[in-house]
């Protein structure tokens, strides 16, 4: 077991109210396993990834739970131990590379700092020549042409696809064991999306990385993962092997989510799910999907469903299966 | 390979495309426009400058002669034409108050103001960045709350009130610093650049240097407080906004030490709005200097300017306004350079 998250609660606090976002999330990643997280926008996927690295914005509070990484609880690590993990073991691809690259520093400044601290964590003291060579190696890995120009560029001087490749190169620099990818293609053209997906897919296999891929593009998750978690409004609704989940979805939310995906082969767009995400200031006490669920029962309103093991690779959190 | 011939015309066009060259050319046009505007305004205002200059008892023929000397009987465009010819000969016309060339007067009074403004800017930059960083580093801490209260008070109270308060408290009650003037009685510094602090250093007079510095503190502080308050607030707000941006979280995700993230990756983008506000503050600083120079009996350009306005000293008014316009132009070019260093996007947008 590489990573095991259990009973994780995360709130965003502001002066006037508290947003109760993650509501007891669980997640397991085996070594070499590729895990997908699906769910609509605003259901806490990005928050979950940021919590794993403890890089929530200042108003994000982890109120309960544990994140066990290689036997150690990340939430209880000292700054020094955490820095080691951040520098050389876990890397993260952010959703929007334009937002995740500092607009007023050259790519070189940012990448060299990242590489410098990773190499220092490995007990080396890199010269600028070594940093340069390491950058070339990374850029070659992500198939980024003209590395010298890229290093001397500011983020706004690169195309969207190039920026995402830079972002992936940065994440790779730190991802010794685990790669977190937060909707890596959402902000790209369709043609570029495909290239980037293939790139990530190839890198993950080449470098034998465990991955958590967050996306609302279901097709992408279907092809790139071994296991999928369905996250809705901060709750894990269902966990299953990828094939099993897409072929035999059990949770009403998963069923509706898959049905609402537009397909090229069918006529018209998908059904969609009526209603919207609950208000995180005052979320439903029971199942968070109950206000939108077509099969809602009395106990769904007040009692949070437990985890129900259907078979060895399928867990669902729904009162229908009690 | 084709060797491109260097054509002089293309070089000229490249030169004109240079942002700073263009900006300087625009400023020259602007200054030219200002001179026309002020020239006309100063002359169409009611009141007879020649009579004002010579006093009510001067005989009419003398006043008439004086008017003719100043070409006040000619149409305004003719007057302006002669003034322009004078300017190209390095003369800015006769002052009606000092009976000297306006340029000579300005060169005498300008250094005191320049010294005051430069010292104010130094205090402003140190204060604004110091307080902004202190409070933005730890939002809602004790020191942050203190800075925020100071910022509200600093903005709410105008600089001439600060001048009086500081003069009263620091000079009169506590007797820590001199209350007015540029130098204490009996301290003499030879005039080389006109900046007393620089001149005293050049002549090796350390006592005079310290004396000049202590005279600068209260006037500069009262000019700077409002700007410091405003800029510190903006810097604090942008720092707090920036540390939650993805590009900062990304650096945390790579295990880069917090101090490097804050002082390198968060501070630089946060400085952009602060420096931009400084441009505006500098304009108000020049205006506020008028009042502060009066309060501290500071022999600067502002006092000269006020006298010129009150006595309807036509040429002096035009001269002073042009100098302020020029100062503002130079300042905005400098700020532009700083902003384009801080924000490379600006350079490419032009």
């Amino acid at each position: 077991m590489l990573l095991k998250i259990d009973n994780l609660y995360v709130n965003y606090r502001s002066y006037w109210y508290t947003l109760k976002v993650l509501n007891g999330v669980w997640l397991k990643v085996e070594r070499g396993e590729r895990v997908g997280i699906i769910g609509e926008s605003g259901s806490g996927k990005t928050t979950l990834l940021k919590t794993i690295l403890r890089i929530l914005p200042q108003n994000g509070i982890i109120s309960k739970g544990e994140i066990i990484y290689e036997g150690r609880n990340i939430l209880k690590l000292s700054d020094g131990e955490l820095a080691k993990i951040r520098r050389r073991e876990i890397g993260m691809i952010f959703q929007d590379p334009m937002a995740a690259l500092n607009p007023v520093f050259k790519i070189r400044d940012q990448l060299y700092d990242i590489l410098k601290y990773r190499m220092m964590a490995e007990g080396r003291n890199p010269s600028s020549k070594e940093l340069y060579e390491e950058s070339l190696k990374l850029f070659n890995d992500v198939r980024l042409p003209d590395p010298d120009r890229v290093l001397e560029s500011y983020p706004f001087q690169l195309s969207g696809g190039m920026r995402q490749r830079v972002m992936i190169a940065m994440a790779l620099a730190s991802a010794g064991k685990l790669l977190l990818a937060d909707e890596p293609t959402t902000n790209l053209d369709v043609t570029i999306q495909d290239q980037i997906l293939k790139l990530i897919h190839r890198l993950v296999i080449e470098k034998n990385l465990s991955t958590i891929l967050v996306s609302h593009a279901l097709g992408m998750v279907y092809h790139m993962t071994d296991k999928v978690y369905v996250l809705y409004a901060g709750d894990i609704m269902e966990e299953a092997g990828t094939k099993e989940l897409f072929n035999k979805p059990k949770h009403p939310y998963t069923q509706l989510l898959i049905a609402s995906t537009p397909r090229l082969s069918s006529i018209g767009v998908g059904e969609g799910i009526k209603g919207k995400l609950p208000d995180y200031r005052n979320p439903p006490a029971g199942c968070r999907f109950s206000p939108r669920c077509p099969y809602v029962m009395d106990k769904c309103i007040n009692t949070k469903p437990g985890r129900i093991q259907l078979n060895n690779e399928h867990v669902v959190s729904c009162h229908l299966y009690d | 390979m084709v060797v491109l011939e260097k054509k002089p015309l293309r070089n000229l066009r490249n030169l004109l495309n240079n942002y700073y060259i263009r900006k300087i050319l625009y400023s020259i046009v602007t200054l030219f426009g200002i001179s026309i505007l002020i020239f006309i305004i100063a002359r169409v205002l009611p009141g007879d400058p020649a009579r004002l200059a010579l006093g009510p008892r001067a005989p009419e023929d003398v006043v008439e002669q004086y008017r003719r000397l100043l070409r006040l009987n000619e149409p305004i465009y003719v007057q302006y034409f002669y003034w322009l010819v004078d300017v190209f000969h390095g003369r800015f016309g006769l002052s009606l108050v000092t009976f000297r060339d306006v340029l000579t007067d300005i060169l005498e009074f300008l250094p005191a103001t320049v010294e005051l403004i430069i010292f104010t800017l130094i205090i402003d930059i140190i204060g604004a960045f110091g307080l902004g960083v202190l409070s933005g580093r730890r939002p809602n801490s004790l020191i942050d709350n203190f800075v925020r209260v100071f910022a509200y008070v600093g903005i709410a109270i105008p600089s001439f009130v600060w001048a009086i308060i500081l003069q009263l408290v620091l000079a009169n009650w506590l007797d820590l610093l001199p209350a007015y003037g540029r130098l204490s009685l009996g301290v003499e510094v030879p005039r080389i650049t006109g900046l007393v602090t620089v001149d005293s250093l050049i002549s090796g007079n350390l006592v005079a240097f310290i004396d000049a510095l202590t005279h600068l503190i209260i006037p500069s502080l009262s000019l700077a407080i409002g700007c410091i308050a405003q800029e510190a607030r903006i810097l604090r707000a942008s720092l707090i906004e920036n540390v939650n941006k993805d590009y900062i979280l990304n650096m945390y995700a790579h295990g880069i030490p917090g101090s490097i993230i804050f002082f390198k990756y968060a501070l630089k983008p946060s400085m952009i709005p602060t420096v931009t506000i400084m441009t505006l503050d500098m304009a108000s600083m020049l205006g506020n200097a008028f009042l502060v120079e009066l309060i501290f009996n500071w022999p600067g350009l502002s006092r000269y300017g006020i006298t010129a306005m009150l006595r309807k000293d036509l040429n002096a008014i035009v001269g002073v306004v042009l100098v302020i316009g020029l100062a503002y132009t130079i300042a905005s070019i400098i700020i532009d350079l700083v902003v384009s260093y801080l924000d490379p996007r600006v350079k490419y947008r032009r």
Side-chain angles (χ1 to χ4, degrees):
Chain A
M1 187 77 65
L2 182 69
L3 181 77
K4 181 169 173 287
I5 298 176
D6 212 2
N7 206 27
L8 184 66
Y9 287 79
V10 172
N11 299 333
Y12 287 111
R13 216 171 45 191
S14 81
Y15 189 77
W16 300 106
Y17 47 76
T18 301
L19 300 178
K20 302 181 189 93
V21 179
L22 294 191
N23 186 34
V25 166
W26 82 86
L27 189 103
K28 282 178 215 139
V29 183
E30 301 286 344
R31 259 170 231 286
E33 193 177 30
R34 298 167 302 161
V35 171
I37 301 177
I38 59 174
E40 61 200 84
S41 306
S43 52
K45 307 188 295 289
T46 303
T47 299
L48 177 56
L49 289 195
K50 284 182 176 168
T51 312
I52 294 174
L53 276 166
R54 268 170 61 186
I55 53 165
L56 287 169
Q58 280 171 343
N59 61 339
I61 314 287
I62 302 164
S63 60
K64 224 183 341 179
E66 53 179 29
I67 301 177
I68 308 293
Y69 173 79
E70 294 199 310
R72 290 178 298 169
N73 189 348
I74 284 190
L75 302 182
K76 297 213 169 104
L77 287 183
S78 69
D79 286 352
E81 292 170 305
L82 182 65
K84 259 183 209 148
I85 290 177
R86 285 168 169 177
R87 285 176 191 177
R88 49 190 291 209
E89 304 198 3
I90 305 180
M92 174 158 169
I93 303 170
F94 280 69
Q95 186 170 12
D96 179 0
M98 191 62 188
L101 296 172
N102 198 316
V104 300
F105 284 93
K106 287 179 178 171
I107 301 295
R108 191 190 46 192
D109 291 317
Q110 307 183 46
L111 187 60
Y112 276 21
D113 261 352
I114 289 168
L115 289 171
K116 188 173 111 193
Y117 285 100
R118 188 203 74 193
M119 286 156 111
M120 276 162 62
E122 289 165 349
R124 287 193 284 166
N125 197 3
S127 63
S128 61
K129 189 162 168 284
E130 286 173 284
L131 291 172
Y132 176 68
E133 281 162 4
E134 191 65 29
S135 314
L136 291 192
K137 219 182 287 171
L138 280 173
F139 283 174
N140 184 46
D141 278 345
V142 298
R143 303 283 184 269
L144 195 60
D146 205 355
D148 290 315
R149 182 178 83 81
V150 173
L151 280 175
E152 290 305 316
S153 295
Y154 292 96
F156 68 93
Q157 293 173 301
L158 302 175
S159 71
M162 288 171 97
R163 274 199 292 268
Q164 189 57 291
R165 282 171 202 268
V166 170
M167 188 75 236
I168 295 171
M170 284 181 176
L172 277 183
S174 298
K177 293 176 178 165
L178 178 61
L179 180 69
L180 313 176
D182 185 8
E183 307 198 20
T185 58
T186 310
N187 288 288
L188 299 173
D189 285 348
V190 184
T191 46
I192 314 276
Q193 280 184 8
D194 192 52
Q195 292 173 15
I196 295 290
L197 277 184
K198 285 187 177 134
L199 172 71
I200 295 175
H201 194 61
R202 179 176 58 78
L203 288 170
V204 165
I205 290 170
E206 261 178 29
K207 306 205 178 273
N208 192 27
L209 294 174
S210 309
T211 30
I212 300 179
L213 173 69
V214 160
S215 181
H216 42 221
L218 301 190
M220 167 175 156
V221 173
Y222 184 78
H223 290 291
M224 287 181 60
T225 59
D226 308 315
K227 184 169 76 179
V228 177
Y229 287 84
V230 180
L231 187 65
Y232 175 79
D235 260 326
I236 298 285
M237 296 291 171
E238 192 167 3
E239 168 199 348
T242 306
K243 296 265 151 28
E244 164 100 1
L245 186 102
F246 281 100
N247 293 327
K248 289 181 231 155
K250 296 294 184 201
H251 197 286
Y253 176 67
T254 318
Q255 292 166 355
L256 288 166
L257 186 69
I258 292 171
S260 64
T261 308
R263 281 160 226 261
L264 286 176
S265 56
S266 70
I267 299 161
V269 291
E271 280 284 303
I273 310 175
K274 286 194 177 62
K276 56 178 191 224
L277 279 166
D279 182 355
Y280 283 117
R281 283 175 290 186
N282 192 12
C287 172
R288 286 192 169 185
F289 187 58
S290 57
R292 298 170 82 179
C293 183
Y295 310 108
V296 61
M297 301 176 289
D298 284 346
K299 64 176 168 186
C300 299
I301 311 286
N302 293 315
T303 321
K304 192 183 163 187
R307 294 176 216 175
I308 296 142
Q309 190 91 35
L310 297 176
N311 60 45
N312 63 354
E313 58 157 8
H314 207 143
V315 179
V316 68
S317 173
C318 179
H319 286 306
L320 285 176
Y321 302 92
D322 279 348
Chain B
M1 205 164 100
V2 186
V3 179
L4 284 174
E5 233 181 298
K6 277 198 172 170
K7 289 179 187 157
L9 194 67
R10 181 179 308 147
N11 286 343
L12 182 66
R13 198 174 303 150
N14 284 344
L15 194 65
L16 289 178
N17 270 334
N18 181 297
Y19 177 76
Y20 294 102
I21 301 287
R22 249 176 26 221
K23 184 138 182 149
I24 289 169
L25 291 178
Y26 283 140
S27 327
I28 291 172
V29 175
T30 312
L31 287 177
F32 191 69
I34 291 176
S35 75
I36 296 178
L37 198 68
I38 295 298
F39 196 87
I40 294 173
I41 289 176
R43 274 162 174 76
V44 297
L45 286 173
D48 181 354
R51 177 54 78 184
L52 271 171
L54 296 178
R57 284 157 190 236
E60 183 54 35
D61 59 324
V62 177
V63 176
E64 182 56 34
Q65 207 181 338
Y66 200 51
R67 266 186 219 121
R68 213 170 298 140
L69 178 72
L70 292 168
R71 299 194 190 87
L72 289 176
N73 295 330
E74 312 268 355
I76 283 189
Y77 61 88
V78 177
Q79 292 183 36
Y80 184 74
F81 174 76
Y82 281 114
W83 180 82
L84 215 53
V85 172
D86 269 2
V87 168
F88 281 106
H89 286 95
R91 295 190 298 266
F92 275 71
L94 212 58
S95 162
L96 304 182
V97 178
T98 61
F99 301 107
R100 295 189 299 178
D101 189 81
V102 167
L103 191 62
T104 320
D105 282 348
I106 288 177
L107 288 180
E108 184 180 333
F109 294 116
L110 186 61
T113 299
V114 168
E115 191 169 39
L116 180 65
I117 295 285
I118 288 180
F119 205 70
T120 305
L121 278 176
I122 293 173
I123 294 183
D124 177 29
I125 290 168
I126 296 173
F129 282 105
L131 292 184
V133 164
L134 270 181
S135 107
R137 184 108 168 96
R138 309 224 182 288
N140 300 320
S141 62
L142 186 69
I143 193 149
D144 177 39
N145 287 328
F146 175 77
V147 171
R148 278 149 81 187
V149 171
F150 163 78
Y152 282 117
V153 177
I155 293 172
I157 298 179
S159 62
F160 67 92
V161 177
W162 278 121
I164 294 169
I165 294 175
L166 291 176
Q167 201 179 36
L168 199 65
V169 174
L170 293 180
N172 287 23
W173 291 354
L174 301 176
D175 205 14
L176 291 172
L177 296 162
Y180 44 78
R182 292 178 85 188
L183 283 171
S184 301
L185 270 176
V187 181
E188 296 273 337
V189 173
R191 188 180 168 104
I192 303 163
T193 59
L195 307 174
V196 179
T197 44
V198 177
D199 289 348
S200 58
L201 277 185
I202 292 176
S203 56
N205 189 345
L206 207 62
V207 180
F209 175 71
I210 291 168
D211 189 56
L213 275 189
T214 54
H215 278 84
L216 269 167
I217 291 175
I218 302 183
S220 306
L221 204 58
S222 39
L223 267 180
I225 284 181
C227 306
I228 292 177
Q230 174 134 341
E231 289 149 17
R233 247 163 65 96
I234 299 221
L235 183 61
R236 170 188 183 271
S238 5
L239 277 171
I240 290 173
E241 188 192 322
N242 269 315
V243 293
N244 287 322
K245 287 264 173 73
D246 267 0
Y247 52 77
I248 295 301
L249 300 181
N250 186 21
M251 290 325 235
Y252 277 110
H254 286 96
I256 289 169
S259 54
I260 289 185
I261 295 179
F262 185 83
F263 287 107
K264 183 173 175 184
Y265 290 107
L267 189 55
K268 191 178 171 192
S270 305
M271 279 162 71
I272 297 165
T274 318
V275 172
T276 312
I277 290 294
M278 272 185 184
T279 326
L280 300 174
D281 281 350
M282 232 185 287
S284 66
M285 211 183 275
L286 287 169
N288 289 331
F290 274 70
L291 293 163
V292 170
E293 285 188 6
L294 272 184
I295 293 168
F296 292 100
N297 202 12
W298 197 263
L301 191 65
S302 308
R303 277 203 2 194
Y304 177 70
I306 289 178
T307 322
M309 307 267 179
L310 295 176
R311 301 285 294 273
K312 210 163 181 306
D313 188 349
L314 304 172
N315 294 326
I317 294 175
V318 178
V320 168
V321 171
L322 278 185
V323 167
I324 290 177
L326 186 68
Y328 191 65
T329 308
I330 294 171
S332 85
I333 289 176
I334 293 174
I335 296 263
D336 254 21
L337 280 167
V338 176
V339 167
S340 71
Y341 160 74
L342 289 175
D343 189 355
R345 287 168 294 186
V346 174
K347 235 178 291 175
Y348 295 88
R349 227 179 275 140
R350 285 168 186 158

